[in-house]
Amino acid sequence: MSWSGRGPDGRRGYHHGNLREALIEAALDLIAKKGAAGFTFADAARSAGVSSAAPYRHFRDRDALIADVARRGFNLLTERLEHAWSEGRPDPFTAFENVGRAYLAFARDEPAYYSAMFEAGLSFDGDPALRQAAERSFAVLRHASELLCARLPPEKRPPALMMSLHTWALSHGIASLFARGDGGRRRLPMAPEELLEAGMLIYLQGLGVIAEPAKPKE
Amino acid sequence: MSWSGRGPDGRRGYHHGNLREALIEAALDLIAKKGAAGFTFADAARSAGVSSAAPYRHFRDRDALIADVARRGFNLLTERLEHAWSEGRPDPFTAFENVGRAYLAFARDEPAYYSAMFEAGLSFDGDPALRQAAERSFAVLRHASELLCARLPPEKRPPALMMSLHTWALSHGIASLFARGDGGRRRLPMAPEELLEAGMLIYLQGLGVIAEPAKPKE
DNA sequence: GCTGCTATGTAAATACCATTTACATAGCAG
DNA sequence: CTGCTATGTAAATGGTATTTACATAGCAGC
């Protein structure tokens, strides 16, 4: 008998044993291949080797599975951003730029997560866990902004929250418009990372966070 | 007989008479209500009062209809941006900011178009008409950037293309993250328009396009 | 070890949707 | 009036989401 033996999918028999995880992994694969819109619950079930009704034992519906992928994506993004920030080393300015680069790198390297997080049309309102995960990603950016702002004398110190929102919006805009691998977007005269770095340099100069021009050319 | 009379949908009988337009209008309604992802070809056909196969006489498939809506959306956006730019009046700087505001206003006032244009996952590669329409929208921004840059002495003149890409990315990022009515996003301490205006002011200061601080507070 | 509860799967049914095909009708050119 | 072409319809195919009734495995307690 094949009971207690494992099939090619890691199945143990009638019961899968780890279907929830298997579905999430299948979702990542499928979203990476066909986009969040093209992802189907039935396909995920097929990938995991179970019937099309089995996933409903673990997720309320298709959106709940995508939301869980998105939640994990935000957790992963938080890790990546924190690692890039590296507690402000070697200096807050350099670390801040590393955070921006890490955002773009995430969008490029984890298209499945990114798609689930930002392109699946999820409502954050109905899912506190998802909202919290997203908040924590943003908190990294906000924390970094605060430390960077704190270096300035109080009278010329910009609001850190606003600064973090600008940074997030610019990073997200560049990632959405130019840094996706789907080929559906515009070709650029420069790499997205360069575009973001230049934009942030100009922005930080405008804030007075840094004094030197981006390319001292004189 | 009802031949040559018109039904409640404007039908004239067996033949609709203007099905293509009716489908596009139905698509706008439905996308506004349920998002680009929730929009169905069958629903559009129902709205127009025809069978579910009729739309195929006018659009290759569902995506082709959405792409046509998106194309019209870009044309509309081009108009709005051009009107906001107003040939650089009253001055290039003010006009440039008006262009940014017009972008956000478009995202807010025309969620159906915006959704079809940026959230439907369309491939621009396979549709030259769509790509061209998008290019023309961007061209307005680029043209405005060039005029604004031209005011600066050549040695401190930034690349206008880069400047327009930054502006587009920031506007799009803010619109995507904060300025959609879907309630799925973050609540802000300020209006999206203010956030964009502040961001652009800081950016333009960083470029040296303007010298004065945003809020002369001393 | 057996019993029964609960978790986890399956099969089948419902109700959509996209798309295709064969057929029907309207409009129009000659 | 005739026939061609454009534009509709009905029906069929195959896919998807979701629910329901049923089946089996795992496990706790006896």
Side-chain angles (χ1 to χ4, degrees):
Chain A
M1 301 297 168
S2 68
W3 296 146
S4 81
R6 286 176 184 262
D9 311 329
R11 291 200 60 167
R12 295 183 315 175
Y14 187 94
H15 283 151
H16 184 287
N18 202 14
L19 183 53
R20 190 182 175 90
E21 287 302 315
L23 287 171
I24 288 172
E25 294 208 7
L28 277 172
D29 271 5
L30 294 168
I31 292 174
K33 283 178 195 157
K34 309 198 275 185
F39 163 75
T40 74
F41 223 26
D43 233 351
R46 256 190 300 278
S47 292
V50 295
S51 76
S52 64
Y56 290 88
R57 298 293 181 193
H58 299 275
F59 300 97
R60 188 171 37 73
D61 56 18
R62 174 181 171 281
D63 279 356
L65 171 52
I66 297 179
D68 208 66
V69 171
R71 188 180 54 76
R72 287 170 182 234
F74 278 113
N75 289 341
L76 189 57
L77 177 60
T78 300
E79 279 178 30
R80 300 276 175 88
L81 296 184
E82 273 172 349
H83 182 261
W85 171 243
S86 184
E87 298 173 29
R89 285 168 298 197
D91 64 276
F93 173 70
T94 304
F96 194 77
E97 289 209 324
N98 286 339
V99 171
R101 261 190 290 276
Y103 191 100
L104 290 192
F106 180 85
R108 164 171 297 160
D109 299 339
E110 308 287 352
Y113 279 120
Y114 190 86
S115 188
M117 291 155 70
F118 295 112
E119 298 171 353
L122 297 178
S123 167
F124 287 64
D125 285 334
D127 191 334
L130 178 58
R131 172 172 287 278
Q132 268 199 347
E135 294 290 345
R136 269 186 286 122
S137 287
F138 178 68
V140 179
L141 199 52
R142 180 163 180 184
H143 176 72
S145 298
E146 275 160 2
L147 283 239
L148 197 52
C149 287
R151 298 200 318 169
L152 292 177
E155 70 275 8
K156 58 181 306 194
R157 191 176 293 164
L161 173 58
M162 183 193 73
M163 183 175 151
S164 52
L165 290 171
H166 283 147
T167 303
W168 196 15
L170 183 63
S171 304
H172 182 72
I174 290 175
S176 296
L177 292 172
F178 313 121
R180 307 304 313 290
D182 58 359
R185 303 306 180 193
R186 162 178 283 272
R187 279 178 294 280
L188 286 181
M190 56 206 301
E193 284 80 0
E194 292 175 305
L195 187 64
L196 176 61
E197 177 164 358
M200 285 310 300
L201 281 170
I202 294 163
Y203 177 83
L204 294 176
Q205 277 175 54
L207 277 179
V209 173
I210 52 177
E212 292 303 303
K215 297 181 181 177
K217 218 178 182 182
E218 41 196 25
Chain B
M1 300 301 162
S2 68
W3 295 147
S4 80
R6 284 177 187 262
D9 310 331
R11 292 199 60 167
R12 296 182 315 176
Y14 188 95
H15 283 149
H16 185 288
N18 202 13
L19 183 54
R20 189 182 176 90
E21 287 302 316
L23 287 171
I24 287 172
E25 294 207 6
L28 276 172
D29 271 4
L30 295 168
I31 293 174
K33 283 177 196 158
K34 309 197 275 185
F39 163 76
T40 74
F41 222 27
D43 233 351
R46 256 190 301 278
S47 292
V50 295
S51 75
S52 65
Y56 290 88
R57 297 294 180 193
H58 299 276
F59 299 97
R60 189 172 35 73
D61 56 18
R62 176 181 170 280
D63 279 356
L65 172 51
I66 297 180
D68 208 66
V69 171
R71 188 181 54 76
R72 289 173 182 233
F74 278 113
N75 289 342
L76 189 57
L77 177 61
T78 300
E79 279 178 31
R80 299 277 174 88
L81 296 183
E82 271 171 349
H83 182 261
W85 171 242
S86 185
E87 299 174 28
R89 286 170 299 197
D91 64 276
F93 172 69
T94 303
F96 194 77
E97 289 209 323
N98 287 338
V99 171
R101 262 190 290 274
Y103 191 99
L104 290 192
F106 181 85
R108 165 171 298 161
D109 299 339
E110 307 288 353
Y113 280 120
Y114 190 87
S115 187
M117 291 154 70
F118 294 112
E119 299 170 353
L122 296 178
S123 168
F124 288 62
D125 285 334
D127 191 334
L130 178 58
R131 173 172 286 278
Q132 267 197 348
E135 294 290 346
R136 270 185 286 121
S137 287
F138 178 68
V140 179
L141 199 54
R142 181 164 180 183
H143 176 71
S145 298
E146 275 160 1
L147 283 238
L148 198 53
C149 286
R151 300 200 318 169
L152 293 177
E155 70 275 10
K156 58 182 306 193
R157 190 176 294 165
L161 173 57
M162 182 193 74
M163 183 176 149
S164 53
L165 290 171
H166 283 147
T167 303
W168 195 15
L170 184 63
S171 304
H172 183 72
I174 290 176
S176 296
L177 292 172
F178 314 121
R180 308 304 312 290
D182 57 0
R185 303 306 181 191
R186 162 178 284 271
R187 281 179 290 281
L188 286 182
M190 55 206 302
E193 283 80 1
E194 293 174 304
L195 188 65
L196 176 61
E197 177 164 0
M200 285 310 300
L201 280 170
I202 294 163
Y203 178 82
L204 294 177
Q205 277 176 53
L207 278 179
V209 173
I210 52 177
E212 292 304 301
K215 296 182 181 179
K217 217 179 182 179
E218 42 195 25

